[in-house]
Amino acid sequence: MSSVMTAAKEDDMVVHDFAPLLLVYKSGRLERPLAMPAVSSGRDVDTGVVSKDVALSQDSLSVRLYLPPAATTAPERRLPVVVYFHGGGFVVGSARSAVYHRCLNDLAAACPAVAVSVDYRLAPEHPVPAAYEDSLAALKWALAPSSATDSWLAVHGDPARVFLAGDSAGGNICHHLAMHPDIRDAGLRGVVLIHPWFWGRDPIPGEPPLNPASKQQKGLWEFVCPEAVDGADDPRMNPTAPSAPGLDNLACQKVMVCVAEGDILRWRGKLYAEAVARARGTEKDVELFESEGVGHVFYLLEPVQEKAKELLDKIATFVRTE
């Protein structure tokens, strides 16, 4: 067989199948079926929200900022700041993709809030913990004194009302940041974990027994994080594992966990909310909201359906409520 034919065959041979997020071929080629083209920042016609991109480093770390109409109609009013981390299993997704651009426009308008959507490096080109490191750097930038950050945050953002929010892998990132020692004294107001990507070595009550879908969760985590300790029981993936730090160390005043009835991650999200409430000794500052009859990150794919509007309203209320 010629070298050309061998190379062609290897280019078609899948060695890691994490569809629809990522396919890895023997040749090293990567395919991301869900990857979406970037959309430009600017003024959103539907919400009136204005956005812009800000580069934070020469290593491609950047954020997209969102400023709602409320910032100009009442310029003296300070608005909450929502720092958002997109999902995608650490291997796909972007703050500039159409679904997240739409999501952040809607979120900034609904709260209203100044929103910061973070673009972090993706695996496998940049294995975890790169995503955590970039997200921490972006959060520190957003929390910096007004003289060191962007004018939108300095003029319109309220540093006493900073929230973290994220879906799937982004929800995982939110947990990691809220537990990070560098953020312990930052005074975060709250954290919103939407369909967070948590997993573990063994099934928990309610979860289906091991099947291809559950095996994919474990396999993807170990692929994106080669240094994982105890595989899927690494505390970064399983925050309720015996070796995980106590959840009483979450550096925020209140927590909201959103799950979906048709999501395989639903049971882990519920377990997390229950564990946080136990660690705090109260359910008062821990809110669990379940969307019925829908699946994982449904609101990104169908933002105009009633369930998506209901979820957006719940999150906006959580951010607005003192």
Side-chain angles (χ1 to χ4, degrees):
M1 184 180 294
S2 70
S3 58
V4 174
M5 291 179 64
T6 300
K9 186 175 181 180
E10 289 187 353
D11 198 46
D12 290 334
M13 185 181 299
V14 176
V15 292
H16 295 290
D17 186 348
F18 302 118
L21 299 179
L22 179 72
L23 296 171
V24 182
Y25 293 85
K26 188 174 181 180
S27 65
R29 179 168 66 92
L30 303 175
E31 182 181 350
R32 292 177 165 97
L34 289 183
M36 298 182 182
V39 295
S40 301
S41 57
R43 184 180 181 278
D44 180 61
V45 176
D46 294 329
T47 62
V49 173
V50 181
S51 58
K52 66 178 179 180
D53 297 321
V54 179
L56 303 188
S57 75
Q58 296 180 342
D59 298 325
S60 301
L61 176 58
S62 65
V63 297
R64 178 165 286 187
L65 298 183
Y66 294 82
L67 192 68
T72 54
T73 56
E76 73 288 348
R77 176 186 174 194
R78 289 278 186 161
L79 300 174
V81 176
V82 178
V83 186
Y84 193 95
F85 305 91
H86 68 77
F90 294 106
V91 298
V92 69
S94 167
R96 292 172 172 77
S97 68
V99 292
Y100 283 107
H101 187 60
R102 168 69 186 266
C103 173
L104 268 294
N105 276 315
D106 290 345
L107 182 62
C111 289
V114 181
V116 183
S117 187
V118 180
D119 241 348
Y120 52 82
R121 288 172 294 169
L122 300 176
E125 296 93 336
H126 305 283
V128 172
Y132 293 138
E133 294 166 351
D134 288 353
S135 298
L136 178 61
L139 177 57
K140 286 183 175 181
W141 174 83
L143 292 170
S146 58
S147 59
T149 189
D150 183 86
S151 60
W152 285 6
L153 286 168
V155 175
H156 302 290
D158 184 349
R161 290 187 292 161
V162 177
F163 292 79
L164 308 184
D167 65 277
S168 198
N172 178 296
I173 289 173
C174 288
H175 164 76
H176 175 80
L177 294 178
M179 294 288 289
H180 200 282
D182 289 0
I183 304 302
R184 193 152 294 154
D185 298 320
L188 292 178
R189 177 62 62 88
V191 177
V192 182
L193 293 84
I194 310 167
H195 310 170
W197 186 28
F198 297 136
W199 205 247
R201 248 186 338 209
D202 301 312
I204 61 174
E207 258 179 6
L210 288 177
N211 57 36
S214 60
K215 289 179 181 177
Q216 187 184 62
Q217 303 297 325
K218 177 179 181 294
L220 179 57
W221 167 249
E222 293 175 351
F223 176 75
V224 301
C225 186
E227 65 171 34
V229 178
D230 288 337
D233 269 351
D234 184 299
R236 292 168 293 186
M237 178 48 59
N238 185 358
T240 60
S243 61
L247 292 173
D248 55 325
N249 290 311
L250 276 173
C252 56
Q253 293 181 26
K254 57 183 186 175
V255 178
M256 181 179 190
V257 182
C258 305
V259 299
E261 183 181 18
D263 186 2
I264 192 174
L265 304 181
R266 165 196 188 196
W267 303 107
R268 295 280 170 176
K270 287 187 169 185
L271 177 66
Y272 179 84
E274 293 164 0
V276 172
R278 281 198 306 273
R280 295 189 164 206
T282 177
E283 296 181 359
K284 182 177 133 183
D285 296 321
V286 182
E287 181 175 346
L288 175 65
F289 175 70
E290 181 169 3
S291 300
E292 298 178 351
V294 289
H296 190 62
V297 298
F298 71 95
Y299 68 99
L300 294 173
L301 307 176
E302 300 178 87
V304 298
Q305 72 150 288
E306 286 305 312
K307 291 292 183 181
K309 293 177 181 177
E310 181 185 30
L311 176 60
L312 177 65
D313 182 62
K314 288 287 186 180
I315 295 172
T317 299
F318 179 81
V319 172
R320 285 195 301 265
T321 304
E322 294 295 334

